[in-house]
Amino acid sequence: ELICFQRSGYTSVPGCLGQGVTNFNYCIEQRMELRGTQSSPSHELGLCEGDCDNDSHCSDGLVCFHRTGLEQVPGCNGLGISDHDYCIEQNMELRGTE
């Protein structure tokens, strides 16, 4: 389900890369909560699930997002565990017209 992310200026848009158009709002997928606490998982991890070390730990179509501390995980809600990495969808560039 898509929701409207309202922003001012060039606020970063969750789950997206790029600068986009200033003051434009963007449709984003409703975010899932971060989950999982395992290091070296024994199964493929799903969306917003961690702790992954590389893309092969994630289900098809997902990549491992490596973060520092409690950095926001694109497309996911929550803080998770500090320095744990989570599986996310590959990001799309922001698109908009002036």
Side-chain angles (χ1 to χ4, degrees):
E1 178 178 336
L2 296 177
I3 58 173
C4 182
F5 178 80
Q6 297 181 349
R7 69 177 190 165
S8 60
Y10 289 109
T11 303
S12 74
V13 177
C16 299
L17 294 174
Q19 191 172 31
V21 178
T22 187
N23 295 321
F24 264 49
N25 300 326
Y26 289 88
C27 293
I28 62 171
E29 290 186 7
Q30 192 167 2
R31 300 191 287 180
M32 297 179 66
E33 292 293 322
L34 290 173
R35 61 191 187 285
T37 58
Q38 281 189 30
S39 294
S40 302
S42 58
H43 65 283
E44 283 190 341
L45 301 172
L47 182 62
C48 299
E49 193 173 12
D51 178 32
C52 57
D53 294 319
N54 54 59
D55 294 349
S56 68
H57 287 154
C58 300
S59 297
D60 289 341
L62 302 177
V63 295
C64 185
F65 177 77
H66 300 278
R67 70 178 188 164
T68 302
L70 294 173
E71 178 182 358
Q72 174 68 44
V73 177
C76 303
N77 279 332
L79 294 176
I81 296 174
S82 183
D83 294 319
H84 274 214
D85 306 317
Y86 293 86
C87 295
I88 63 169
E89 292 179 340
Q90 290 186 353
N91 292 327
M92 296 176 58
E93 291 287 335
L94 290 176
R95 287 176 256 167
T97 57
E98 295 186 45

